[in-house]
């Protein structure tokens, strides 16, 4: 096994120190906020009716994330959420 040249990289089985773990978790929550909470707010405000529900977006994102983590064996720390991305052809 080769030596690490950068202390910022972790192996698959390694965990960051507790303070870094907490800070990275908070960063992850803030990044998740835009796609999961903001999408229903903007869509509902634009259309003038409740089309998308924030609690439903959170529940489905959580279920999708748990399924993804189980399938990948918890090796990939990914959050699945809603998005504004659309494909127009």
């Amino acid at each position: 096994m080769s030596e690490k040249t950068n202390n910022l990289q972790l192996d698959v089985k390694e965990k960051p120190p507790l303070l870094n773990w907490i800070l990275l978790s908070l960063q992850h929550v803030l990044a998740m906020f835009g796609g999961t909470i903001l999408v229903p707010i903007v869509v509902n405000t634009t259309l003038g009716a409740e089309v998308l529900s924030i609690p439903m977006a959170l529940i489905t994102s959580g279920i999708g994330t748990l399924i993804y983590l189980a399938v990948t064996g918890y090796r990939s720390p990914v959050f699945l959420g809603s998005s504004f991305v659309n494909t127009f052809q």
Side-chain angles (χ1 to χ4, degrees):
M1 199 174 234
S2 64
E3 293 184 31
K4 289 184 185 178
T5 58
N6 187 345
N7 291 336
L8 297 177
Q9 295 178 350
L10 298 173
D11 197 10
V12 173
K13 302 274 185 191
E14 291 181 320
K15 294 181 181 177
L18 183 61
L19 181 60
N20 287 355
W21 200 347
I22 291 170
L23 291 174
L24 290 170
S25 299
L26 290 173
Q27 179 188 15
H28 201 74
V29 168
L30 292 174
M32 174 274 302
F33 180 82
T36 306
I37 306 296
L38 216 54
V39 170
I41 291 173
V42 171
V43 169
N44 292 342
T45 303
T46 302
L47 297 177
E50 187 171 340
V51 178
L52 299 175
S53 167
I54 293 173
M56 188 56 66
L58 288 171
I59 290 169
T60 54
S61 295
I63 291 170
T65 300
L66 291 174
I67 292 170
Y68 178 84
L69 290 173
V71 168
T72 60
Y74 295 90
R75 289 190 193 119
S76 178
V78 172
F79 172 81
L80 303 177
S82 54
S83 174
F84 279 120
V85 177
N86 231 340
T87 304
F88 295 102
Q89 296 181 10

